[in-house]
Amino acid sequence: MPRSPARSSSAFEHLHPSVQRWVYRQSWTHLRDLQEQAIAPIQAAERDVILAAATASGKTEAAFLPILSHLAERKPQPGFGVLCVSPLKALINDQYDRLGLMGEAAGIAIHRWHGDVAQNQKTTALRNPSGVLLITPESLEALFVRRGLDVPALFAGLAYVVVDELHAFMGDERGRQLQSLLHRVDLAIRRSCPRIALSATLGDMRQAAEYLRPGAGERAVIIEGAGDTSELRMQLRGYVEQAPDDDADQPSAVEDIATHLYTHLRGHDNLAFANSRAFVELLSDRLRRLCEADKVPVEFFPHHGNLSRELRESVEAALGSDRPTTAVCTSTLELGIDVGSVHSIAQIGPPPSVASLRQRLGRSGRREGEAAILRMYVTEPPTMGDDRADVALRLKLVQSIAMVDLLLDRWYEPPGEQALHLSTLVQQTLSMIAQHGGARADQLFSVLCAHGPFRRVTPALFGQLLRCLGAGDVLHQSSDGTLMLGPIGERLTGHYSFYAAFATQDEYRLVCGGSSLGTLPITYAVVPGMHLVFAGKRWKVLAVEQSEKRITVEAGPAGSAPSFGTGGGGLHTRVVQQMRTVYERDDAPGYLDARAKTLLVQGRRQYAALKLADRALVPSGEDTLLFPWLGSRALDALALALAHAGITAERYPIHLSVPTSAADLSARLRTLA
């Protein structure tokens, strides 16, 4: 008979008897350290609490064991008792299943609300709001816009606000939207209630606390789970793409990677992360064909956001079954959807960020005594006589090594909280006007800016924003000064897309001679004079029309050009600086295979040949390469500053290429400075 959790827990006895009985039925022998520590501060319901730990460490139970105990002990209240905001519908479905039996044991209703939930279930929740509401930010926004007058009653008895996967919100437009929505909930019920956040461990948890409640982060209780002590086994394999004149009968780098994955991943559950949906499909197809050629069951399946919900859920279910399954995925399986413990993680290409790599790695090695396994695959281009000087630097390989270094040092990218997020401010302004049927400018500024999340916006800037909205028929002002939705504002708020504040890549049409070449996602600034690659050809940008999302091009000159639309949020300056450290060291990490070690030697040799330790400007044919050793945002700003001064700069991952001499570029940079 399993040992009682109460015998090894001083906090267990404080849980409500119904919740204790649920724990007994799980045959738990003890509470995890995170769960033990969380009970007292959450049940007290006096301060915000952040629960930070690796994936699948019991964060959900750590939050909801005391939350459901609190609800079970208090007198019945009108409205929902818990508002739980989650970044993904799939996460809500997962939590709904996990919390269902726990809530049933405690007599607490669990409701889910997102775009795929049947309307009759939503109607039931509205008629009898109680218990826990699991919802996305977009659906919460829709409640404010469509049922603004009902919001105070729906949340009248609110005891807790829970933010699941807090780290997934921090630093972007959607995160700022969430901050505004939570502030508006407080205003609607005329009080604040404790906020409980579940998060992966971040570099600065106090910054996370400040994000959770701006201006009062220092009061939050931060509980971090025990450090990850599992063994890490990893290998980074290097590959070189085929040159155009290579023997076509030789396997390509993609085929080599697929063969290695097939050989080492079959028979286990695994996650293989690729950096684009197109590559996910390409790799999944090759792996499926290898299974069919050997007449064995297919174990490799794609998983990305463009697939139907049914196909994604079938892969998730397979991962949780007894059948060996490898999901070849984008970031869709990075967050906390419970697919069970996987045997290993494969990362094809450099990961989007150190934080992302850590989140993915947390899926492996979760069982006691089991090592976490990470396989990384990096492909570099072949070097040819007319290459740019930077090709032999082996940037992808060095970036991957730098990110592993930082992962092992427990450094992760901090959220970027300095942006104004004016587009989200416009959305929240329209949402508040729709909620209340009108609002004065001073009220909007007070709620959203002076006391809300947009505190960097000044009254003058907000006034300018409102005038622009008025000029565009988005807003109208009545004779008493009340701001109302104009014709365009009505149309915007009436469309379902209004509720989302996702930062999606802009898709631009490429046009040459009046003919459309297709669409291209643009991940950084494009200006006339730049070159890009599309459909296997090189193009020179002639014009960029922002309003039409159209780029006019002509055939470009010979020579390599950067590829756009590689995805990811760009490199942090700390990562770029660590890449420089990798170049200047003389040791080779033990996890590199033989080809990766050779590529690292080539990269370091080229770094020395270009004298990058001592200079930032490097001649490369008729161009000059500029290496400022700064992150993507700073590099974008520098490229735009040069463009504003009439200097076209090609943007690469860690440097710029400028069509002028080093002496001329140096003089121009001094003028800009």
Side-chain angles (χ1 to χ4, degrees):
M1 182 174 178
R3 180 161 53 93
S4 165
R7 294 179 185 173
S8 58
S9 169
S10 60
F12 179 79
E13 63 186 51
H14 297 292
L15 296 175
H16 188 270
S18 63
V19 176
Q20 290 178 342
R21 287 193 292 271
W22 179 86
V23 174
Y24 277 119
R25 289 200 292 269
Q26 310 314 304
S27 298
W28 292 0
T29 59
H30 62 279
L31 296 180
R32 296 182 181 183
D33 177 64
L34 186 75
Q35 296 162 349
E36 179 86 16
Q37 294 186 60
I39 290 175
I42 292 180
Q43 272 196 298
E46 296 172 347
R47 297 167 66 183
D48 298 338
V49 179
I50 296 182
L51 304 176
T55 304
S57 56
K59 292 192 294 288
T60 298
E61 290 75 15
F64 279 94
L65 289 175
I67 284 175
L68 294 182
S69 291
H70 181 93
L71 294 186
E73 289 167 356
R74 74 173 186 169
K75 295 179 180 179
Q77 301 282 326
F80 297 109
V82 180
L83 170 65
C84 179
V85 185
S86 186
L88 296 174
K89 291 185 283 187
L91 277 174
I92 288 178
N93 294 338
D94 181 59
Q95 276 197 330
Y96 181 73
D97 293 337
R98 293 173 68 185
L99 295 175
L101 293 177
M102 191 191 303
E104 183 179 341
I108 306 297
I110 310 294
H111 306 277
R112 57 178 166 176
W113 189 303
H114 56 66
D116 295 336
V117 174
Q119 186 57 46
N120 65 319
Q121 295 181 38
K122 296 177 180 177
T123 301
T124 298
L126 289 174
R127 286 175 179 169
N128 184 26
S130 64
V132 179
L133 177 65
L134 307 171
I135 195 167
T136 60
E138 293 71 36
S139 291
L140 182 57
E141 185 82 72
L143 275 180
F144 273 108
V145 173
R146 294 176 175 175
R147 300 180 179 274
L149 298 179
D150 298 333
V151 168
L154 289 174
F155 298 110
L158 197 64
Y160 296 96
V161 169
V162 178
V163 180
D164 191 21
E165 304 285 357
L166 177 72
H167 55 281
F169 290 111
M170 293 174 63
D172 63 11
E173 288 86 350
R174 198 178 185 215
R176 192 56 56 89
Q177 176 193 24
L178 176 61
Q179 286 181 319
S180 181
L181 290 172
L182 297 187
H183 181 55
R184 289 166 63 187
V185 168
D186 286 351
L187 292 176
I189 62 176
R190 299 183 181 277
R191 59 185 173 82
S192 63
C193 53
R195 297 176 183 175
I196 314 300
L198 285 58
S199 176
T201 301
L202 301 167
D204 184 354
M205 293 310 302
R206 278 295 159 195
Q207 192 171 20
E210 181 62 25
Y211 167 83
L212 182 62
R213 193 181 296 275
E218 74 283 350
R219 294 194 66 251
V221 176
I222 297 175
I223 303 173
E224 296 194 62
D228 184 6
T229 58
S230 63
E231 175 190 0
L232 171 60
R233 296 166 54 195
M234 69 169 294
Q235 184 183 49
L236 194 162
R237 300 179 62 81
Y239 297 83
V240 178
E241 298 168 0
Q242 282 185 327
D245 55 354
D246 279 354
D247 184 356
D249 293 332
Q250 293 295 316
S252 67
V254 174
E255 290 169 335
D256 282 343
I257 291 172
T259 299
H260 191 269
L261 289 170
Y262 176 77
T263 302
H264 291 83
L265 270 55
R266 280 194 70 246
H268 300 283
D269 288 347
N270 311 277
L271 298 178
F273 290 93
N275 287 339
S276 71
R277 287 162 289 188
F279 195 73
V280 163
E281 293 290 355
L282 174 66
L283 199 56
S284 300
D285 176 67
R286 292 184 183 276
L287 289 164
R288 177 185 53 78
R289 285 191 281 144
L290 287 171
C291 292
E292 292 172 347
D294 284 349
K295 295 182 171 56
V296 298
V298 176
E299 298 180 8
F300 302 89
F301 305 95
H303 189 288
H304 57 75
N306 280 62
L307 294 173
S308 70
R309 175 168 58 94
E310 291 74 18
L311 287 175
R312 294 196 308 271
E313 289 180 351
S314 70
V315 177
E316 294 160 17
L319 283 165
S321 69
D322 295 332
R323 181 174 49 134
T325 301
T326 293
V328 184
C329 52
T330 54
S331 59
T332 48
L333 288 177
E334 183 177 307
L335 291 176
I337 300 171
D338 188 6
V339 294
S341 177
V342 299
H343 179 67
S344 69
I345 302 298
Q347 172 64 49
I348 299 97
S353 66
V354 180
S356 177
L357 178 60
R358 183 204 184 281
Q359 187 78 1
R360 295 173 180 188
L361 184 57
R363 296 291 195 171
S364 177
R366 283 163 37 182
R367 296 191 181 99
E368 190 171 347
E370 191 177 82
I373 300 173
L374 173 64
R375 294 182 173 92
M376 301 182 73
Y377 302 81
V378 176
T379 302
E380 291 287 354
T383 54
M384 304 168 71
D386 59 350
D387 282 333
R388 298 188 318 270
D390 60 296
V391 172
L393 284 171
R394 305 311 192 188
L395 293 169
K396 293 179 184 176
L397 176 78
V398 173
Q399 177 187 330
S400 299
I401 295 171
M403 286 184 159
V404 171
D405 285 347
L406 295 169
L407 174 78
L408 297 176
D409 286 344
R410 298 185 178 275
W411 178 90
Y412 317 111
E413 290 85 355
E417 284 293 304
Q418 298 305 310
L420 290 173
H421 294 299
L422 294 181
S423 61
T424 311
L425 176 56
V426 169
Q427 182 217 34
Q428 290 299 291
T429 297
L430 299 182
S431 176
M432 281 195 63
I433 291 173
Q435 175 189 355
H436 298 287
R440 297 196 315 272
D442 60 332
Q443 294 172 327
L444 292 167
F445 182 80
S446 176
V447 170
L448 297 173
C449 303
H451 302 103
F454 302 92
R455 299 188 183 191
R456 297 187 65 231
V457 175
T458 64
L461 179 56
F462 188 66
Q464 184 180 357
L465 198 69
L466 294 179
R467 286 190 291 274
C468 288
L469 294 175
D473 273 345
V474 178
L475 294 180
H476 283 173
Q477 190 170 33
S478 64
S479 57
D480 66 353
T482 301
L483 293 173
M484 315 285 288
L485 294 176
I488 296 192
E490 293 275 8
R491 190 161 67 245
L492 286 172
T493 56
H495 195 268
Y496 72 90
S497 62
F498 172 78
Y499 309 125
F502 290 103
T504 56
Q505 294 178 1
D506 282 337
E507 291 271 350
Y508 279 69
R509 284 192 307 119
L510 264 67
V511 177
C512 180
S515 299
S516 177
L517 303 174
T519 61
L520 186 67
I522 301 300
T523 57
Y524 45 85
V526 179
V527 295
M530 295 178 75
H531 298 85
L532 52 84
V533 170
F534 186 74
K537 296 182 180 180
R538 302 182 181 97
W539 306 96
K540 179 180 179 180
V541 176
L542 299 178
V544 179
E545 298 170 74
Q546 302 283 356
S547 59
E548 301 295 326
K549 292 196 177 339
R550 179 170 57 202
I551 300 175
T552 304
V553 299
E554 65 179 10
S560 299
S563 294
F564 284 64
T566 55
L571 296 178
H572 190 276
T573 292
R574 182 72 182 85
V575 175
V576 178
Q577 291 172 345
Q578 185 64 27
M579 291 175 66
R580 194 174 195 181
T581 299
V582 172
Y583 281 119
E584 295 180 355
R585 291 200 311 244
D586 55 12
D587 63 310
Y591 55 79
L592 301 183
D593 77 339
R595 188 180 290 125
K597 289 179 180 177
T598 299
L599 291 170
L600 179 58
V601 169
Q602 292 175 4
R604 285 171 170 169
R605 188 178 297 142
Q606 183 71 347
Y607 180 88
L610 298 179
K611 302 178 181 177
L612 286 172
D614 304 310
R615 63 178 182 175
L617 302 180
V618 177
S620 178
E622 297 180 353
D623 300 338
T624 298
L625 306 184
L626 170 59
F627 288 84
W629 300 105
L630 297 171
S632 298
R633 290 190 176 185
L635 208 58
D636 283 340
L638 183 54
L640 290 172
L642 288 169
H644 186 69
I647 310 165
T648 300
E650 303 286 354
R651 164 76 154 72
Y652 293 89
I654 67 167
H655 65 283
L656 303 175
S657 178
V658 187
T660 188
S661 68
D664 179 60
L665 179 57
S666 178
R668 289 171 177 258
L669 288 171
R670 281 196 296 271
T671 300
L672 280 176

